[in-house]
Every structure is written in structure tokens, then in C-alpha cells.
Amino acid sequence: MASHIVGYPRMGPKRELKFALESFWDKKSSAEDLQKVAADLRSSIWQQMAAAGINYIPSNTFSYYDQVLDATSMLGAVPPRYGWNGGEIGFDTYFSMARGNASVPAMEMTKWFDTNYHFIVPELGPDVNFSYASHKAVDEYKEAKALGVDTIPVLIGPVSYLLLSKPAKDVEKTFFLLSLLPKILPIYKEVIAELKAAGALWIQFDEPTLVLDLDSHQLQAFTAAYAELETTLSGLNVLIETYFADLTAEAYKTLTELKGVTAYGLDLVRGTQTIELIKSNFPKGKYLFAGVVDGRNIWANDLASSLSTLQALEAVVGKDKLVVSTSCSLLHTAVDLVNETKLDDEIKSWLAFAAQKVVEVNALAKALAGQKDEAFFTANASAQASRKSSPRVTNEAVQKAAAALKGSDHRRATNVTARLDAQQKKLNLPVLPTTTIGSFPQTLELRRVRREFKANKISEDDYVKAIKEEIKKVVDLQEELDIDVLVHGEPERNDMVEYFGEQLSGFAFTVNGWVQSYGSRCVKPPIIYGDVSRPKPMTVFWSSTAQSMTKRPMKGMLTGPVTILNWSFVRNDQPRFETCYQIALAIKDEVEDLEKAGINVIQIDEAALREGLPLRKSEHAFYQKWAVHSFRITNCGVQDTTQIHTHMCYSNFNDIIHSIIDMDADVITIENSRSDEKLLSVFREGVKYGAGIGPGVYDIHSPRIPSTEEIADRINKMLAVLETNILWVNPDCGLKTRKYAEVKPALSNMVAAAKLLRTQLASAK
């Protein structure tokens, strides 16, 4: 019985690629240095999977930024502003598309389906001259083969590539992106031909958009694309991989009727209903790559349950046609549990990171083949039973409090217009008030202080002193820049979710459980293993300290319940909404303590609210109801004069704008600049928004510094569709990934632009 891995984490067990990328970007190392680190990581990954007994090992899943940008490079679809003149795309052009450069902004970045991973959105139009401009897929296949590992090269499928793209800035928004299929398929044919010539026996096309709600024209594009590729693919085994949700009956029919396709990879963790489609009609002679090991969470697989599922599928598809696989790429999990030295043994026994999931896949394949490792299965069953019965998991008081929430919608008693009036009397802010999103640059010295405090190398007094000094520096800088509503810069926090999880019950933490979010940005998601509560205040001391340093309003900075949920590895033994309600109650306690401490502006970030939206429209309403309700729970008890902010970033918000309004926040700051001000279109189309709103005026994920004139132009575009008295001026997101040399001039230009517009507005009266 065969085994397969859809994809594997790229950063390395100790984030080796992250540090190599940042060293290269900072011009501290060469391209050759970066390429060597990458080659060493690839070699290690391939050989690890081969040693574990995996039969179908992927290649070309490694990336210096993301796999969609790799596909854009392969197709030569470089926007003209980057000045690329043809030939093989190098690091300069590649990273300029991802990050921008001194003269031009980056391409838009958005979330990869409903994950916390991001991708660079292709910008396409009828005049794009596609060409074969990156041979990465072939090069990496040859590289693995030279190491004695025969791999399955993985490509983003042509239809998904186009469906994940957007019309370029000067192209009509109604442009039919799928009309470009005839232009990109010749490039795919060249790549396929080179892979065949190099000796590839299999090829994997990732077509995850098949799980979305697609119309007949979109489904027909899959049929047309693979019919066109059929001749070129002759002689290869072709796997079409889907993941993240069920397939509709129509999509399943389209998939299983594609020409020239040998195998279908299906997510049977998040797509349990797909099993019924398989049982009712699976094409004879085809392979099923059954994704029974969860690629998106860190819980150990219930091997007995998975084996039962696989045995039922084996009876349908045939013993020699069933391949055990992961539900999706393991990119979304941490790398290796072996590196976790501080997790206690009980919780550790409940977990499986990427390296352990590879072992689980192989163990299931061997068990199906009659070579069951009884000791491994027995240990797994024992761990499953331990988790179900552990008293650490359940807190009856928390469950009772969360259950009691269902009788109310938890709205504030006064409408937002009246609240804003009361808040303005207290805060006395100017027109177009300026603020930032929360974090300021995380310097090497600041990271050293936190690291040494955690390692007990410095005292708590020395730590508090150092953090207070950093807060004072950030407060003084904001006052110098004349920003209106200040933040304390979050110097005590390495990560906005991890920081809160460390202080809530029901959470566990890793030392090296890093997961890539985008580029070199890695996060270390907490593990929610049990019921959640707040034993004591979490931020009140730092917010009060910061407020004592200034007469200007100081924002209390919290992460909202939906974002904590969506950016954690969440327990899978109860519905997600129940866990979210528990977190909401904990944040509610913190909000009310901040208010009592004299904090008049409190920001409750819900950066990941859109990210958790299910991929199928039929499931949207239920998710939006409990997610929005969870946010309202956090602040339903504050006074009218306490201003509640929230923040969202890097998703498509237009389709949830009514839910955003229903959150009933006083002010929302929201990503806007990198997505070509897509957000503003909803207001042009007549959506009325009465609360305060700050669409981001510049992209903080790029080192580029925008001019005062550029920012003023963005503000004017906002004023064309939003009332002057509700508009705020702020960056797209927090500033922790930037350097002070970039932050100071950018914020200075932002404040200057706001003042320029205030003067113009005053003179126009």
C-alpha cells in the first residue's frame, strides 16, 4: 500500500530559511548563501520522507516566498512596473513583486483560502505576454533525483492559478481571467515536456479552487484545460490534488471526468461528505489519494478511525489503487515535535507535527498492507483515550458561562452615532485623526531582553525597566510626530496571539512550533487543548503605564476572540464556536478592567475574522453569526464614552461588509492600500457606514516609504466615498516587521498628509 505527502513546511525546524532570507534582504549575505540554505533544507526534507518510507514525495513545494508567486514567475507574468526584460526571473524581480522596492509597491497579498498563510495575487490582463521564465520545477526535480529521490513535481494547476488572480490595475474589473487559459497552457506544456525528459513518472497539479462554489463556466474551464494538456501529459501519471473542503457533486463529476488524469487527491478531514461521493461513483482503474491525516492541525491522528475509513474506501477503489495521504500540504503545521523540550509528556502524547504526520501516513499505509505496527497503534489509542478523559481539558464553570451566552445578542445599548458624539466630547480629536495599528519595530535589543527574561537570565525588575524604557521611546516618538491616538508599541509581545494565550488557561505553548505566514514571517500558534478562562489581568499594567506617560489617548491593545481562535491550533473535540465564546468571555473581563484603569480607547483586533469564513457560501451565515456575536460579547459592558476599535487585514472584506457593520465597533482600521483600495468600492456602490473607519493609507509589509503626496491622494480617494467626520488616517497594519529608519519617515509623511487635508477642508468651508 502506497503513501503520499501533499507538501511539507519550508522554513526548517529552526526557521533556517527565515534567517537566510532576512540576511539576504539586508545585504548581509549573498544569493549563493541563500541558495545553499535552501538546497540543504530541500535535501533534508526529501531524504527524511524517503527514510520514513513515503512512496510519493513532492518536489517544487519549496518556495522563497509562496507557491503562487512561483507560478507567476514560471509563466513570466511580471507586471510592467518591475522593469523585467525577459529571461530567467532572478531574485531582484521575484522579491520586488513580493515586497516592493524603493520605487514601486509590491503586488497585493491575501490569505490562502481560509488559512493564515498568504500568497501574492497575480495581476493579469489581455496584454500579458506569458513566457517560460522560471525553470524551478524542473530544476528541483533534477536536484532530488541527483540525491537518489524520485519525486512528484507539484505545479499550481492552470485553472486555479487564473481563478486566484485578479485583473491588473489598468484592466476592466469585469475581465474574464479564464479567457487567458489558451495563453498559459503552452507554458505548462513546456514545463511538462521538460519534466518528462528529465524522467518524471508522476506530476501533481494542485487545483484547490475545485472546492469553491463554482459556476458551470468555471467548471468547464477545468475540462477544457486538461483536454488541451492530455496529449502532452501522455506517458505521465497525473494527480489532481484538492483540499480544504468537500467537493460539490458537480465539481466531483468534473474532476473524475478530466482527460488524461490518473489520480485524485481529496481532503477527507475537512471534506468528510466527499466520502459518500467516492462510495457512490468512483471511476474504475483510477487512484484515490485519500487525505486522512490532517495537514492543518497538530493533533495526533486517530489511527484506528482512519484505518477503518481507509478499509471502507479500499473496498470501493481497489487495494492497489488506494494511496494514504495528508489532507493538504503540511505547510500549515509545525515542523517536528522532537524539538519541543518544554511540553509536558501528557500533552505531547496528544500531538503530531509534520514529521510525525509523515510517520502516521506510512503507518496507515503499512497497516492496510497487512503490516500493522501493533505497538504504534496501541500507543496512539492510549493517547486518544488520555486526551478524552483528562481533567485538564474540562472546566465546568467555563462551559456553563459560555452556554448562558446563547440567550442574548450582546449589543451595546446606545447606537454608534450617539456613542461617537459622547467619545468626541471626551477625546476632543481633530478631523482625520491619526493613529497606528499597535506594534512598533521589534529591535534586536528588544528581542534579546524578552529572550533573556524567559531564560531567567535577567530579573523581572530589569525586564520591566527595559520594557518601560521602550514604551517611553515609542510614546515620545509618536508625540514628536504629532500622532493623535497613541499606542504603546507592544514591546512585551513577540506575537499578538501567543502573548494572550500564555496568560489564558486551556492553552499550551511550543518552543519551535513555527509556521510560515508569508515570506520570512513565521508565527508560533498556541495550542488550545482545554476550556479557556482568564486567571488575571493581562495588559492592564502595560497600558496604564503607557497612558501615564502622555496626555494623549492611549489605546489598550487586545487580540479578539475570533483571531485568537483562527490563529491557534484549536481543539477538535468540540465545535469551534464553543471555544470562541469561551475566549470572548476572557477578553470581556480584560476590556472591563482596562476601562476601570482609565483607558478610554480599546482596540480589539479581529485581523482573522474574514480568514475563518468557510469556503462554501451555504456555511457563511452560521459562521458570521457566531463570529460577530463573539466580538460583541467582548465589549458589550463598556460605557458610551469608551471607544472600541477593531482592526482587520489582508483579506477580501467586501463580501462580509455587512457583518463588519454588525460588529458594532466604534472605529475599524482595515487594510486597503496593497489591494488597490478594493475596499473603497463597496462604499462607491452605496453601502452606508456610520462608524469611524480607517482604511490603511500605506502598506507596511513593504520597506518602501510613501510620500506625503501619495498618502494625501489616498485620503482624497477615501473622502470621495466616506464622510469626513468618520475617516481616520493610519497604516495598513502593525509596524513590528519594519525598521525605525522606514517607520519614522513613513509616519511623518502620513501625519503631514492628514494635516494638509485638514487645512484644505477647513479652507473649503
Side-chain angles (χ1 to χ4, degrees):
M1 192 60 59
S3 52
H4 167 250
I5 305 296
V6 177
Y8 201 79
R10 308 157 182 157
M11 282 289 125
K14 300 288 180 67
R15 295 180 293 163
E16 292 88 342
L17 182 61
K18 168 190 171 66
F19 299 122
L21 283 167
E22 292 173 355
S23 177
F24 174 71
W25 293 336
D26 290 341
K27 296 181 168 46
K28 294 177 181 176
S29 62
S30 66
E32 291 75 19
D33 294 331
L34 174 58
Q35 289 165 334
K36 183 179 188 311
V37 170
D40 289 346
L41 284 170
R42 288 193 296 267
S43 171
S44 173
I45 290 166
W46 292 327
Q47 291 179 345
Q48 177 188 343
M49 283 194 261
I54 301 300
N55 305 101
Y56 299 108
I57 297 171
S59 61
N60 198 41
T61 57
F62 182 90
S63 178
Y64 288 103
Y65 214 88
D66 81 74
Q67 68 271 31
V68 181
L69 184 61
D70 291 350
T72 294
S73 298
M74 182 185 81
L75 295 167
V78 181
R81 65 181 178 274
Y82 298 108
W84 176 65
N85 295 315
E88 189 81 2
I89 289 176
F91 281 154
D92 283 351
T93 300
Y94 182 87
F95 288 128
S96 290
M97 290 191 286
R99 306 176 72 237
N101 58 43
S103 57
V104 292
M107 295 165 70
E108 180 184 352
M109 181 169 70
T110 196
K111 295 289 175 72
W112 177 247
F113 294 81
D114 57 347
T115 75
N116 186 31
Y117 182 67
H118 301 67
F119 71 97
I120 302 298
V121 182
E123 302 173 11
L124 305 179
D127 298 327
V128 175
N129 293 314
F130 296 100
S131 64
Y132 187 11
S134 170
H135 293 66
K136 176 177 175 294
V138 178
D139 291 343
E140 288 188 13
Y141 173 77
K142 290 178 178 177
E143 183 183 329
K145 194 169 184 180
L147 294 169
V149 182
D150 196 19
T151 61
I152 305 186
V154 179
L155 301 176
I156 294 287
V159 183
S160 287
Y161 177 79
L162 293 177
L163 290 176
L164 293 168
S165 302
K166 70 173 187 177
K169 200 166 187 177
D170 56 350
V171 174
E172 287 291 327
K173 299 305 175 190
T174 56
F175 175 69
F176 187 52
L177 290 159
L178 289 174
S179 68
L180 296 174
L181 260 181
K183 291 189 174 184
I184 69 170
L185 289 178
I187 315 298
Y188 275 87
K189 289 179 180 179
E190 287 188 69
V191 179
I192 293 163
E194 284 196 6
L195 287 168
K196 284 170 71 173
L201 301 176
W202 281 81
I203 187 168
Q204 175 179 319
F205 292 100
D206 281 9
E207 293 282 14
T209 56
L210 272 166
V211 305
L212 303 178
D213 293 312
L214 302 179
D215 61 33
S216 58
H217 296 291
Q218 292 167 324
L219 289 173
Q220 176 57 33
F222 288 94
T223 303
Y226 287 93
E228 177 64 25
L229 292 175
E230 183 181 12
T231 302
T232 309
L233 288 168
S234 177
L236 279 172
N237 290 294
V238 179
L239 166 62
I240 306 294
E241 187 69 49
T242 71
Y243 34 79
F244 298 153
D246 284 298
L247 292 171
T248 64
E250 294 81 4
Y252 180 79
K253 183 174 187 293
T254 298
L255 172 65
T256 53
E257 292 179 355
L258 292 178
K259 300 287 188 183
V261 173
T262 315
Y264 315 106
L266 302 174
D267 183 340
L268 303 182
V269 175
R270 292 188 172 229
T272 53
Q273 295 174 34
T274 302
I275 293 174
E276 298 309 312
L277 293 172
I278 296 168
K279 289 179 178 178
S280 65
N281 183 24
F282 191 80
K284 288 184 178 180
K286 303 292 185 179
Y287 289 85
L288 171 63
F289 281 57
V292 294
V293 172
D294 193 352
R296 286 186 58 174
N297 216 327
I298 44 66
W299 302 108
N301 189 273
D302 185 338
L303 295 177
S305 175
S306 293
L307 184 58
S308 176
T309 298
L310 290 165
Q311 287 167 338
L313 292 170
E314 186 180 61
V316 176
V317 306
K319 196 175 188 70
D320 62 334
K321 299 297 182 184
L322 184 63
V323 178
V324 182
S325 184
T326 54
S327 64
C328 62
S329 172
L330 297 177
L331 171 70
H332 310 288
T333 66
V335 178
D336 195 341
L337 197 55
V338 168
N339 297 319
E340 300 308 321
T341 55
K342 294 187 178 180
L343 278 174
D344 67 69
D345 289 342
E346 182 181 37
I347 290 179
K348 203 169 179 179
S349 74
W350 302 343
L351 307 177
F353 291 179
Q356 287 69 47
K357 290 176 185 291
V358 169
V359 174
E360 289 178 338
V361 167
N362 191 53
L364 286 166
K366 290 175 77 173
L368 268 180
Q371 302 167 37
K372 185 178 180 183
D373 185 334
E374 294 292 350
F376 189 69
F377 271 71
T378 299
N380 176 266
S382 177
Q384 298 290 325
S386 160
R387 186 174 164 219
K388 287 176 183 175
S389 61
S390 175
R392 304 169 69 175
V393 171
T394 305
N395 182 323
E396 289 186 13
V398 170
Q399 292 193 348
K400 187 175 180 180
L405 294 171
K406 295 170 186 175
S408 168
D409 66 1
H410 296 88
R411 290 184 184 276
R412 292 170 77 179
T414 310
N415 70 43
V416 69
T417 303
R419 296 198 310 264
L420 288 172
D421 287 344
Q423 292 155 15
Q424 178 59 16
K425 287 174 184 174
K426 189 166 189 174
L427 299 173
N428 193 29
L429 297 172
V431 171
L432 305 179
T434 55
T435 190
T436 65
I437 304 306
S439 61
F440 265 64
Q442 300 264 317
T443 63
L444 290 174
E445 174 63 16
L446 181 57
R447 294 178 190 274
R448 180 192 65 77
V449 168
R450 283 201 308 262
R451 188 169 60 248
E452 290 188 354
F453 178 59
K454 280 198 168 187
N456 296 316
K457 291 182 179 178
I458 60 173
S459 68
E460 184 173 358
D461 287 346
D462 287 341
Y463 171 73
V464 170
K465 181 184 176 186
I467 297 299
K468 282 184 175 180
E469 288 173 355
E470 185 71 20
I471 292 173
K472 184 71 167 71
K473 183 176 80 173
V474 169
V475 170
D476 288 349
L477 173 61
Q478 291 172 93
E479 289 194 328
E480 176 191 326
L481 292 168
D482 205 17
I483 291 172
D484 300 303
V485 176
L486 310 190
V487 298
H488 77 289
E490 304 176 10
E492 77 283 14
R493 308 177 194 181
N494 179 61
D495 177 85
M496 61 187 286
V497 174
E498 182 181 4
Y499 176 80
F500 289 97
E502 285 177 336
Q503 301 180 77
L504 295 169
S505 64
F507 282 75
F509 295 88
T510 64
V511 176
N512 288 298
W514 297 101
V515 178
Q516 186 182 17
S517 179
Y518 62 86
S520 68
R521 170 80 170 134
C522 297
V523 294
K524 199 163 41 153
I527 298 165
I528 306 177
Y529 68 84
D531 291 333
V532 178
S533 61
R534 185 197 74 147
K536 61 182 181 180
M538 301 179 285
T539 65
V540 175
F541 173 76
W542 296 118
S543 293
S544 300
T545 297
Q547 184 63 81
S548 72
M549 297 174 178
T550 181
K551 293 182 179 178
R552 301 187 186 210
M554 175 64 61
K555 285 197 280 192
M557 301 300 304
L558 304 175
T559 302
V562 183
T563 296
I564 290 176
L565 183 88
N566 285 334
W567 286 358
S568 298
F569 291 125
V570 183
R571 57 190 294 189
N572 57 2
D573 59 346
Q574 71 177 14
R576 289 173 69 88
F577 71 85
E578 290 186 13
T579 303
C580 198
Y581 282 156
Q582 293 177 3
I583 303 169
L585 286 172
I587 300 300
K588 179 177 186 290
D589 290 343
E590 187 71 12
V591 168
E592 292 171 4
D593 280 349
L594 282 168
E595 184 182 55
K596 288 173 190 171
I599 304 300
N600 297 314
V601 182
I602 302 171
Q603 181 170 308
I604 309 166
D605 285 347
E606 284 296 14
L609 186 132
R610 171 62 177 79
E611 174 186 311
L613 190 71
L615 300 178
R616 304 300 274 283
K617 291 177 182 175
S618 61
E619 300 169 17
H620 284 191
F622 179 64
Y623 168 78
Q624 289 171 301
K625 181 179 179 180
W626 64 254
V628 169
H629 186 194
S630 295
F631 177 82
R632 289 203 306 262
I633 288 166
T634 65
N635 60 86
C636 63
V638 300
Q639 299 174 26
D640 289 353
T641 51
T642 297
Q643 189 167 85
I644 299 296
H645 288 223
T646 191
H647 170 67
M648 297 181 183
C649 55
Y650 297 103
S651 287
N652 181 5
F653 301 107
N654 295 25
D655 53 355
I656 62 162
I657 190 66
H658 294 290
S659 290
I660 292 173
I661 294 169
D662 200 34
M663 290 169 73
D664 199 28
D666 297 310
V667 178
I668 179 170
T669 53
I670 194 164
E671 183 273 324
N672 172 68
S673 66
R674 188 159 179 171
S675 58
D676 296 329
E677 293 139 356
K678 190 189 302 179
L679 172 71
L680 300 185
S681 65
V682 298
F683 303 113
R684 294 189 190 101
E685 292 160 9
V687 171
K688 299 299 180 187
Y689 193 77
I693 183 167
V697 297
Y698 79 90
D699 173 25
I700 65 87
H701 289 93
S702 169
R704 182 174 169 273
I705 298 165
S707 67
T708 298
E709 294 73 23
E710 181 182 332
I711 295 174
D713 181 59
R714 287 191 185 277
I715 298 170
N716 270 320
K717 289 179 181 177
M718 297 170 192
L719 288 170
V721 292
L722 293 166
E723 296 294 329
T724 307
N725 64 333
I726 66 169
L727 186 61
W728 285 64
V729 177
N730 47 263
D732 265 344
C733 204
L735 304 169
K736 69 185 295 182
T737 61
R738 301 268 55 88
K739 297 178 174 62
Y740 274 104
E742 300 157 351
V743 166
K744 288 179 183 178
L747 290 180
S748 178
N749 292 348
M750 183 187 83
V751 173
K755 289 181 175 180
L756 175 66
L757 269 295
R758 287 174 197 159
T759 302
Q760 292 176 1
L761 289 168
S763 63
K765 287 184 179 178

